Amino acid sequence: MLSIRELRDRAVIRPVKRAVEDQLLDLPGVTIVDIGEKLRAGRRTGEQVIVVSVMRKKPADELRPGTRIPHHILGIPTDVVEEQPVLEHIHRGSQENLAPRLRRLRGGAVAGGAGIAPYRAAYLVPPVVPVPGSYRRIGTLGVLVTANEPSATTMGLTTFDVACLDDAWAVGDRMVDPAGGRVHADLARAALSGRVDAAAVTIASRLDTSHVVGGIGPVTGHAGTYPGERVRKCGFGTGLTLGVVTSVDATLRLDHGDSLGIRVLREQIRVDTSGRRYCGPGDSGAAVIDPGGRVIGLHVAGGRRGRVGFACPIGGVLDELDVALRTAAELVGP
């Protein structure tokens, strides 16, 4: 957990970072603007700074005039690191058998941590896929929710990029369970805004559902988070992994493909593992959960080496989709 001094320093830096982040993101190669600890020769210094991530660090003599990131911005030091966030879904040929990739609870209940894919396939070409063709996009159904309306329909959360594919999406689009390809849900609502990348799908009423997230346990509610908090996630791609929240201030540029283009997500949660793998393709949509079983975010992207993940804060997701979490307390009743 950060010290009181480090938290105070971040509070001072935050309005400056917000004021200049768009200018920084407009510079060639910049991918993320965040607040974090400055590193020197790979060692921590304890100094809180504006951290600017780029695709590739270049020598000063290779940079065009006006494109160099300054050492200080309005008195705040900066640090430049190499990092490129990517959306973490899997593309599989539309005729492939998806059953071997299944992650689900014993007994077949629809629950957090399982895979989900739109029934509608998309035609993709390299470098997105190895060969041109029709592909399904697979991600994670992170956690169950209910609609904030009298019907209280049971839904599952995932990300916009998983459930909606492109700009041709529509409410009612069918979703497929990767366990053999059965249709088990319909797209109900979605949001791709400055702070939220999320979608809710209505689970078929004939199916059993569970508030338990595979490998983690019952969902008890939702909460905010803070740097230093230990969290877990269960994704379709990498299963159960552990990490530590290192920031709640990450603003990142994400490539949503030709139809949707580059989108900016602001004030996202950053999770780090200090070298271990945390996430990978197929994990988009996984719920990020604190030690008390409370959901703190919805995993949307990761670094190319899988050691860092980014998640939309769950409060914004629930508000924009107008849904509420299904929890153990709700099912037990008074």
Side-chain angles (χ1 to χ4, degrees):
M1 184 173 178
L2 296 183
S3 67
I4 293 176
R5 178 184 63 79
E6 290 170 323
L7 291 172
R8 185 169 57 244
D9 289 347
R10 287 196 177 204
V12 171
I13 294 170
R14 191 166 289 123
V16 176
K17 176 257 183 187
R18 288 174 179 168
V20 302
E21 63 186 8
D22 286 339
Q23 294 169 284
L24 292 171
L25 287 170
D26 284 341
L27 295 176
V30 173
T31 58
I32 308 170
V33 181
D34 200 356
I35 302 173
E37 187 175 359
K38 188 175 182 66
L39 301 179
R40 286 194 178 92
R43 296 183 178 180
R44 298 181 180 277
T45 65
E47 182 182 19
Q48 300 298 307
V49 299
I50 296 174
V51 180
V52 183
S53 299
V54 296
M55 292 184 184
R56 184 174 70 86
K57 294 177 72 171
K58 298 180 180 180
D61 58 4
E62 291 185 20
L63 296 172
R64 298 197 310 271
T67 64
R68 184 172 182 174
I69 296 162
H71 294 299
H72 291 78
I73 298 175
L74 298 178
I76 306 298
T78 64
D79 195 13
V80 181
V81 301
E82 286 189 354
E83 191 165 60
Q84 184 176 0
V86 293
L87 297 169
E88 294 201 311
H89 43 249
I90 297 171
H91 286 126
R92 292 288 181 83
S94 59
Q95 302 305 313
E96 284 187 62
N97 179 13
L98 305 180
R101 296 291 300 177
L102 176 66
R103 292 188 189 278
R104 64 190 300 180
L105 291 182
R106 191 173 299 171
V110 177
I116 187 169
Y119 181 83
R120 177 172 66 92
Y123 185 82
L124 302 173
V125 299
V128 178
V129 291
V131 296
S134 187
Y135 289 83
R136 281 212 177 101
R137 179 172 293 178
I138 307 169
T140 299
L141 187 145
V143 68
L144 295 186
V145 295
T146 55
N148 285 327
E149 54 193 40
S151 63
T153 306
T154 298
M155 300 176 177
L157 285 185
T158 189
T159 58
F160 181 99
D161 71 279
V162 169
C164 298
L165 271 177
D166 51 33
D167 59 358
W169 69 277
V171 170
D173 284 350
R174 294 179 293 173
M175 300 291 129
V176 178
D177 179 349
R182 67 173 178 173
V183 173
H184 73 320
D186 298 318
L187 181 59
R189 52 193 74 174
L192 183 59
S193 67
R195 287 181 171 80
V196 170
D197 179 330
V201 300
T202 301
I203 307 299
S205 59
R206 69 181 185 279
L207 300 177
D208 292 331
T209 58
S210 172
H211 64 285
V212 171
V213 173
I216 294 178
V219 171
T220 61
H222 71 280
T225 190
Y226 54 87
E229 183 170 43
R230 297 185 179 277
V231 293
R232 302 163 288 171
K233 72 116 191 74
C234 181
F236 181 75
T238 61
L240 176 64
T241 56
L242 311 177
V244 176
V245 173
T246 55
S247 176
V248 293
D249 294 287
T251 292
L252 48 155
R253 300 175 82 246
L254 290 170
D255 187 352
H256 282 263
D258 292 340
S259 62
L260 294 170
I262 302 294
R263 299 298 181 103
V264 175
L265 273 177
R266 303 180 190 277
E267 297 175 13
Q268 302 295 286
I269 299 166
R270 178 188 175 102
V271 180
D272 205 331
T273 61
S274 300
R276 299 184 309 278
R277 191 178 189 195
Y278 173 72
C279 56
D283 285 347
S284 282
V288 183
I289 297 176
D290 73 10
R294 297 171 299 183
V295 180
I296 61 102
L298 196 67
H299 178 80
V300 65
R304 289 199 179 277
R305 291 178 293 180
R307 298 172 184 174
V308 174
F310 299 93
C312 299
I314 193 63
V317 171
L318 299 177
D319 287 345
E320 289 209 27
L321 296 181
D322 195 24
V323 295
L325 286 173
R326 278 189 59 182
T327 66
E330 168 203 340
L331 296 180
V332 170

